[in-house]
Amino acid sequence: MTGEVRAEETIRTGNRRGRRAAIALVAPAVLIVAGVYAYPAITTVAYSLSDIDLSPRFRIVRFTGLDNFFNQLGSGAFWESAWTTLYFGVMLCLVTVVLSFAIALLLNKTFLGRGLVRVTVLLPWAVPPVASGVLWVQMFHAEFGFLNGLIRAFGGEGDIIWLGGQTIALHSVLIAEVWRWIPFATIFLLAGLQIVPRTVKEAAAIDGAGSWRTLRHITLPLMLPVVIPVVIFLFVWAMKVFDTIFVLTRGGPSRATTTLNFLVYRQGFEQFDFGSAAATAYLLSALTVLAIAGLGWMLVRARRLAGA
């Protein structure tokens, strides 16, 4: 009995030492995460509920409660940016998923040079965001840009000011972002297509279903559990897009491309209204969470449908 008690005590001692060693190893990472994420989040909450004075030094003057939030919710600039953000997010998801799904369908077939085409599709993903923005600035140039040059080559006037009009500027930014995110969406959708059971498609072909019916009634329902997570990721990214807008339009012309995330930048680093910027940032976070919750509900329904 004495030997068994000693063995159990040795095991308990070893477990305690193992837990201490695990805590010691994990503690630096926890501290780094707390410093990088938790501290800024808490500080931003304090800023959003306060009035901040920048002179003679950055300091919180007084507690204002929810005034910054109410001021933003009553601001026309906030709601204009909110609608721009939602429109931009919906269009980014729609156009990217449709184009990526078409490319994935092509790459899912066997043909000569398929490997080269797959590598080519992935190239935009390797371009840094700022470099991508600079590239598109040159392509959208009204006089020397590639797009207007292409239009002139086919007999058109080719005098479109891509980044100058309020409506066309937003869609120009959208084109740049779609080009950037097509590789990401294509990879996931192609992986989803490759796990669709061939037996189901073969059974549909035996029953006389054509390619369109097979795609509509079999492939698309089975792909929903893959499509919706891609949509969630793209929508969240659209909510916080910044670098492309900063390089292409700086939020203009006349706030036409000012999304909520870019509005936070303008309020904080151009107007130096850090209280309003912090409030806008949390309103953006709330909007993003609501969108994720709605898309997550759709994902659950899609998985049930696919399982049925």
Side-chain angles (χ1 to χ4, degrees):
M1 292 293 293
T2 304
E4 294 179 356
V5 172
R6 289 179 178 176
E8 292 178 0
E9 183 65 26
T10 302
I11 293 173
R12 284 196 293 269
T13 302
N15 290 337
R16 285 195 295 270
R17 290 177 178 174
R19 284 194 293 270
R20 293 193 192 102
I23 292 173
L25 292 172
V26 172
V30 173
L31 292 175
I32 292 174
V33 171
V36 173
Y37 293 101
Y39 175 75
I42 295 172
T43 305
T44 306
V45 171
Y47 290 168
S48 68
L49 302 175
S50 307
D51 184 16
I52 299 172
D53 185 17
L54 298 179
S55 60
R57 60 186 179 84
F58 188 94
R59 63 190 179 92
I60 295 176
V61 177
R62 62 187 176 88
F63 177 76
T64 59
L66 299 176
D67 286 352
N68 288 326
F69 290 91
F70 290 136
N71 290 337
Q72 291 307 304
L73 291 175
S75 168
F78 173 84
W79 287 110
E80 182 181 352
S81 298
W83 288 116
T84 300
T85 304
L86 289 173
Y87 176 79
F88 187 85
V90 171
M91 291 302 296
L92 177 66
C93 295
L94 179 63
V95 177
T96 303
V97 169
V98 170
L99 293 179
S100 299
F101 190 72
I103 296 171
L105 286 173
L106 174 64
L107 297 180
N108 197 39
K109 299 180 180 298
T110 302
F111 59 88
L112 183 63
R114 183 175 66 170
L116 179 61
V117 174
R118 287 182 174 182
V119 173
T120 304
V121 169
L122 293 176
L123 287 179
W125 185 252
V127 180
V130 175
S132 172
V134 173
L135 171 67
W136 281 100
V137 166
Q138 302 302 319
M139 294 184 67
F140 286 133
H141 195 282
E143 186 175 355
F144 306 107
F146 171 79
L147 294 180
N148 277 345
L150 185 64
I151 293 173
R152 286 192 291 267
F154 283 93
E157 295 184 2
D159 56 353
I160 301 175
I161 304 176
W162 296 92
L163 303 177
Q166 293 191 19
T167 301
I168 197 170
L170 180 63
H171 291 88
S172 298
V173 175
L174 179 65
I175 291 172
E177 282 295 293
V178 168
W179 175 82
R180 180 182 171 190
W181 286 103
I182 278 179
F184 169 84
T186 301
I187 291 173
F188 280 86
L189 296 177
L190 179 59
L193 286 172
Q194 291 179 344
I195 63 175
V196 174
R198 290 184 175 274
T199 54
V200 178
K201 295 182 179 180
E202 292 172 356
I206 293 174
D207 291 338
S211 299
W212 170 246
R213 287 189 176 180
T214 302
L215 176 65
R216 180 180 177 184
H217 297 289
I218 295 177
T219 303
L220 287 179
L222 293 176
M223 283 289 293
L224 281 179
V226 179
V227 171
I228 294 178
V230 173
V231 171
I232 292 175
F233 186 93
L234 291 173
F235 192 83
V236 171
W237 179 261
M239 293 291 100
K240 63 187 189 71
V241 62
F242 174 82
D243 38 27
T244 304
I245 294 176
F246 183 82
V247 175
L248 264 67
T249 63
R250 299 293 178 94
S254 184
R255 297 204 305 263
T257 59
T258 300
T259 60
L260 284 176
N261 199 33
F262 201 85
L263 180 63
V264 172
Y265 166 80
R266 279 190 160 178
Q267 291 174 335
F269 298 99
E270 292 183 359
Q271 303 169 8
F272 300 104
D273 187 356
F274 290 97
S276 296
T280 303
Y282 273 100
L283 290 172
L284 172 60
S285 300
L287 179 63
T288 304
V289 169
L290 289 175
I292 292 174
L295 292 170
W297 176 81
M298 293 175 59
L299 176 61
V300 173
R301 294 294 301 270
R303 285 177 174 172
R304 290 177 180 175
L305 178 63

